[in-house]
Amino acid sequence: MKQKKAAILLLVGVMLMVSACATKPVNRKSGLLKIYEQGSFMVGGTTLSEPGKFDLSTALKPQGQTLHGDHGYVFYQIPPKARKFPLVFLHGAAESKKTWETTPDGREGFQTIFLRRGYAVYLLDQPRRGEAGKSTVAATITPTPDEQFWFTQFRIGNYPDYFANSQFPRDSASLEQFFRQMTPNTGNFDANVVSSACSQLFDRIGAGILITHSQGGGPGWFTAIKNENVKAVVAYEPFSSFVFPTGELPKPIQSASLFGELKGVEIPLSDFKKLTRIPIIVYYGDNIAREPTKVWNSDHWRAGLEMANLWAATVNKHGGNAKVVHLPEIGVFGNTHFPFSDLNNLQIADLMVNFLKDKKLD
């Protein structure tokens, strides 16, 4: 058995070395990437049943048949002698687990950056997205040209111009890769469906750290509320679904956002207080307005950052340990909505590692 495992490790290492030679990414370290275990599975979900009796002679009819859907898809890698707490990564809107994989310009993403640092890594495709696309609700996917909107919304720049200090690579091939990694919903986004799948993942793997991005922030809070196995949350640029106790909901924040005013979500105090039992850190990048402006993308994220600060203050008022970090304020400049895949993603990874070390979760 030991010889078999050694052979598998050697084969994986050789394959990764060949890949490294082919792509020549800037931040790939030399040496083997060691993986003790790797695999994938589905988690969560529901089952629909059609009344009637299945008839082999009319097998294309739904009567008496089932449909399994609304589950999440998980790909995981575990290094030898893994650290105590695995990392679970949940993507944001229009994205999949690809968010955390190789960056658009071919550098290492958080998937392998943290694997090299000894963490078991679990990448989740949320229900009705990516490789978890089997939905129990109908949806119409309309091919609509909208990528220049996303370029601007995600603060790469104000299309067609990049922000002067943007940490996004400026070559056309990287931008094409970024656009091609976006993927549609195969059913309406449902934070409860997503958090239920994510919670069941923690039921399966035990205690761990949840890392969310953007739209994944809301399901992240709900997952932490549902499951005590979530020992910390690291959230990159959450926007919607900030939760507040009943009676403490702040006024909606007005902005020039194309999505209108930003509202919080009211939940029972008993649920909210479950967020106070774990450390939480929230990161926001650069080119976010400090004061109201008519530049809609900068103002959209100004509202998000403002709501995040109100939310963290409320968590801490109830005895919690939440912190919002605006990266330019600590001397880290030019980050987009995707700091974990920007050109300085190793620096961003170091910040997260330092947070985990500070909270004795490394």
Side-chain angles (χ1 to χ4, degrees), residues 213-215 217-218 221 235-240 242 282-284 301 304 308:
H213 178 228
S214 194
Q215 188 185 58
W221 314 137
Y236 291 99
E237 299 218 347
F239 182 77
S240 56
F242 281 102
V282 182
Y283 293 102
Y284 286 90
W301 292 106

Side-chain angles (χ1 to χ4, degrees), residues 171-184:
D171 61 289
S172 59
S174 295
L175 185 57
E176 179 175 352
Q177 284 289 311
F178 176 74
F179 285 149
R180 291 191 182 279
Q181 80 180 37
M182 300 181 71
T183 189

Side-chain angles (χ1 to χ4, degrees), residues 280-330:
I280 300 172
I281 194 162
V282 182
Y283 293 102
Y284 286 90
D286 208 340
N287 298 299
I288 297 174
R290 294 181 179 274
E291 302 292 337
T293 174
K294 294 182 179 180
V295 182
W296 60 264
N297 59 338
S298 295
D299 211 41
H300 172 95
W301 292 106
R302 174 193 61 81
L305 179 56
E306 184 177 332
M307 185 66 81
N309 280 312
L310 291 173
W311 172 82
T314 305
V315 172
N316 295 338
K317 183 182 75 172
H318 286 277
N321 183 5
K323 182 178 182 180
V324 177
V325 177
H326 189 196
L327 293 173
E329 295 179 2
I330 62 170

Side-chain angles (χ1 to χ4, degrees), residues 33 56 62 75 82 102 116 140 204 224 243 261 275 281 297 340:
L33 181 60
L56 189 62
F75 175 79
T102 306
R116 288 189 184 279
T140 300
R204 176 164 175 162
V243 294
E261 64 185 14
L275 294 175
I281 194 162
N297 59 338
F340 42 78

